[in-house]
Structure formats: structure tokens, C-alpha cells
Amino acid sequence: MSRDAVPPGPLAGMRIIELGGIGPVPFAAMVLSDLGAEVIRVHRPADRGTPANPVLDRGRRSLVADLKDPRGAAIVHALIDRADAVLEGFRPGVAERLGFDPATLADRNPRLVFGRMTGFGQAGPLAARAGHDINYIALSGVLGAIGRPGGPPVPPLNLVGDFGGGGMLLALGVLAAVLNARATGRGQTVDAAMVEGSGLLMSMIYGRLAQGAWTVDRGANVLDGGAPFYDTYECADGRHMAVGAIEPKFFADLVGVLGVADRIDVAAQLDRSTWPTMREVFTEAFASASRDEWTARFDGVDACVTPVLTMDEVAAHPHNAARESFFTDTGGAIHPAPAPRFADTPCASPAPAPVPGRDTRAILSELGHTAEDIEKLLAQGIVL
């Protein structure tokens, strides 16, 4: 079945209003849209003319409205009256000053779910403080756990705070609250904080710390690059292979394919005293051939060894290509495909990202505005 022929996803019929924002809120909106929800993004007038992110902004419709003007606010209120949920990423208190606080909106739409995304949460000593992903994961213990021995903490892009602990958990929280609202008739506020969300992603690691199976020293544990059988190695061409041979069978296969069985005692895999020498042997072995040569040698072998691909290589990898895990749009942007997959309600191909205001006229018409009224609002700059 072609991408254009698939039916809408499992969230078909759900309506979401996205009140602008950067990073985690657009990601939550993208995920919900990918799964079939109708998402309208409300842009600010200042956004007019700014280029859309072709991947992060995909799948939505766009309205530009001035929320500080009562007439613009009234238009957005009318949209929210028909919605299942609102997503916002303002600092605490901003939505209230604009008249878009949960209490006001709930008076008009009691079933509404109000999803709020911040770094530090809606309350607490740091609630009003500015920050970014790196600051939030610093407070949750994530950042301090990532890095090489003796080196500084290494930011894992902005994946853990903004997107994993932020946008993804915001989307999950909103879905849970919408399910509850459909059962009870009452919506609620979802307070998603990136400090707490990124900390939640560390649950297994905190559990291992409690068991005495993890140390707070960076690069000294099995999963943080401390173990030579769970790390990356540079090849002869400067590219890298990823090794995750934790289990004994996989480790034995790793040693065998590398051709170092005469130098590595597989029975001593977990003996930390052997790790420095083991790492030297693995480093020397991988440096003897190119990444693609090692990829071919490990093909069909369960050693948990894979090539480290760059972002412009992923779509062409045979496995990714076979599953259509990535696709390229007409503008040449590489997209991760919607995930996860659903057997009975597969997701449609995401619509292209809209330029701010692309759907303003159509949305106003759907709200009952006449063509004359729409042109007047446009001329006055209330909407764009």
C-alpha cells in the first residue's frame, strides 16, 4: 500500500490546538499529528515569513492570530471550544496574562485537556527561570552521567530533555487526560516538566544505582562506554562501528569475527582488570579495515555490532529502506517515518509543514466567518 493510500491513524477525530512554542511542544504536536490527530498551530504575527522546519512542523495546519488583540483571541477561543486539547510552552503565568489559562478555557469547554510544557514545572523555586535542555537534564542527573572518564559531561544533543523527557511525555500525558475526559466528561491540566521527564527516563539507571550496580563516576559503567564491549570504535576510514556485545554469546561472536580469539579470554569478559587490554585489542582490530568492510564481515552475525551511520546515510541502509523507516520529501528533507506502527489504523504520510498562516482563510471560513469578514481581519492585521 502506498503512503498516499493509507487510512488516517489511530487518533483520527481528535482535535489539538498548538499555541506556538519551540522544541518540545512542536514535537508533541508532530507526534499527535503523525498518529492522525487534527492539529492547528497558532502562530504569532511575528512568525509570519519565517521558514517552517520541514520535519518538526509537518502535518499541521497553520493560523496566524494576534492573541493580544481581543478579536484575535476570540478566534482562537472559538477554535479551542471545539478542541480536545491545547498544547502550550509559555513560561508560567504567560497564558494567564493572555486569557488562555486552564480555568478560563475550562469554563467554555469543560472537556478540554490543557497540556503545559516547561523546563522546571509550573511551580517551585525555579519555575520562572529561563533554561534549555542542557540545564534541565543537569538537574535530573542525566547530564552528569554522560561522558568519558575524567572528562566533562557531554550534552546528548537536546534529545533527552526537549524531546524524550519533554515533548514525548507531554504527548503521552495529553493522551491519558483525553481518555479520562472522554470517560468522565471533565478535562484537566497536564503539567509536563523536562527536569522530571528526563529524570523519569533515567529510571533503570537510578534502579541500578540503588542496587549497587552503577557508579556515579562517568564512563565507568557497562552502558556508558566504560566497558570495551559496549562502545564505538574508529575504523581505517575514520568512520565508526557500534559494539553492544553484552551477553556472553554475542561477546564470543564479536571476538571471533574480529579475529582476536588468541588474545582475548571470552570467559573473563566481566573481569574489569582485563578491560584496558581488551579495549586496546578491539581498537587495533577495528582500525585494520573500513567501516563498510566490518559491516560486511558482521553481516548475519549476532554480535550486536552495527555501523554508525550519519544522518544522510540512514535512508539508504538496507534495513531502513526495506521498512521505509525514513522518507525524503519533495524538498529533499529526510524524515523519520511516523512511529510506532499500527496494524489496523496505519498512519498516513505526514502533510508538508505549513508556512505560518497558510490555512488562515480556510480555518476562519470553517468557524463561520464570511469572506468579507476574513478580508477585513486580514487587512487589520488581526490574522495573517
Side-chain angles (χ1 to χ4, degrees):
M1 183 178 291
S2 70
R3 288 188 174 277
D4 294 333
V6 297
L11 298 186
M14 184 177 294
R15 293 181 174 178
I16 309 290
I17 306 302
E18 174 192 357
L19 297 180
I22 59 174
V25 170
F27 179 67
M30 186 202 82
V31 169
L32 295 169
S33 173
D34 280 355
L35 299 185
E38 177 191 359
V39 181
I40 295 176
R41 185 174 189 181
V42 179
H43 281 96
R44 302 171 302 167
D47 296 334
R48 182 74 171 186
T50 58
N53 182 307
V55 181
L56 190 63
D57 295 338
R58 72 190 187 193
R60 275 99 92 194
R61 305 172 76 198
S62 172
L63 164 79
V64 174
D66 185 356
L67 298 183
K68 295 180 180 180
D69 187 291
R71 293 165 293 179
I75 290 168
V76 179
H77 274 296
L79 282 175
I80 294 173
D81 289 345
R82 305 180 178 194
D84 292 287
V86 170
L87 307 179
E88 65 96 346
F90 304 128
R91 285 205 205 179
V94 172
E96 282 76 3
R97 290 197 295 273
L98 291 171
F100 286 87
D101 56 286
T104 298
L105 299 182
D107 285 341
R108 300 170 57 106
N109 181 357
R111 298 170 62 92
L112 184 73
V113 170
F114 195 83
R116 316 195 79 167
M117 181 81 262
T118 59
F120 299 112
Q122 294 296 317
L126 297 179
R129 187 77 60 84
H132 285 291
D133 182 291
I134 193 170
N135 308 115
Y136 311 137
I137 68 172
L139 289 192
S140 67
V142 175
L143 185 59
I146 301 174
R148 291 297 183 180
V154 177
L157 302 182
N158 62 332
L159 300 178
V160 180
D162 279 350
F163 300 116
M168 192 68 78
L169 281 179
L170 174 62
L172 175 62
V174 165
L175 285 179
V178 168
L179 286 174
N180 182 260
R182 290 182 174 180
T184 65
R186 293 174 26 251
Q188 60 183 297
T189 299
V190 178
D191 177 2
M194 285 178 264
V195 171
E196 295 159 2
S198 60
L200 189 66
L201 295 179
M202 287 278 284
S203 295
M204 186 189 79
I205 306 303
Y206 275 115
R208 291 181 67 82
L209 180 66
Q211 294 172 324
W214 193 271
T215 172
V216 295
D217 297 328
R218 283 188 295 279
N221 302 280
V222 171
L223 298 179
D224 62 2
F229 47 84
Y230 198 91
D231 209 341
T232 59
Y233 289 91
E234 186 173 355
C235 302
D237 56 357
R239 297 179 177 182
H240 293 79
M241 295 294 287
V243 174
I246 297 175
E247 292 79 3
K249 177 186 182 302
F250 303 148
F251 182 73
D253 286 339
L254 166 68
V255 170
V257 174
L258 287 178
V260 295
D262 59 331
R263 302 171 64 188
I264 298 295
D265 179 4
V266 295
Q269 176 187 0
L270 300 181
D271 180 351
R272 287 176 176 259
S273 69
T274 70
W275 286 7
T277 298
M278 188 185 299
R279 188 180 299 277
E280 291 176 6
V281 172
F282 289 171
T283 299
E284 179 183 338
F286 276 109
S288 67
S290 71
R291 184 197 69 179
D292 291 347
E293 288 174 319
W294 282 119
T295 300
R297 294 180 192 181
F298 278 99
D299 185 37
V301 178
D302 269 341
C304 299
V305 177
T306 51
V308 177
L309 303 178
T310 58
M311 292 167 62
D312 57 359
E313 293 179 307
V314 296
H317 187 276
H319 179 81
N320 292 337
R323 286 181 57 85
E324 296 184 307
S325 301
F326 295 84
F327 65 94
T328 303
D329 65 22
T330 55
I334 300 170
H335 290 245
R341 304 185 181 207
F342 298 85
D344 295 334
T345 55
C347 302
S349 178
V355 296
R358 183 194 66 187
D359 306 294
T360 294
R361 282 184 170 85
I363 292 170
L364 291 178
S365 179
E366 292 164 11
L367 289 174
H369 291 268
T370 65
E372 180 181 4
D373 184 30
I374 292 171
E375 294 306 317
K376 184 181 298 184
L377 289 168
L378 289 166
Q380 295 173 341
I382 307 304
V383 297
L384 298 170

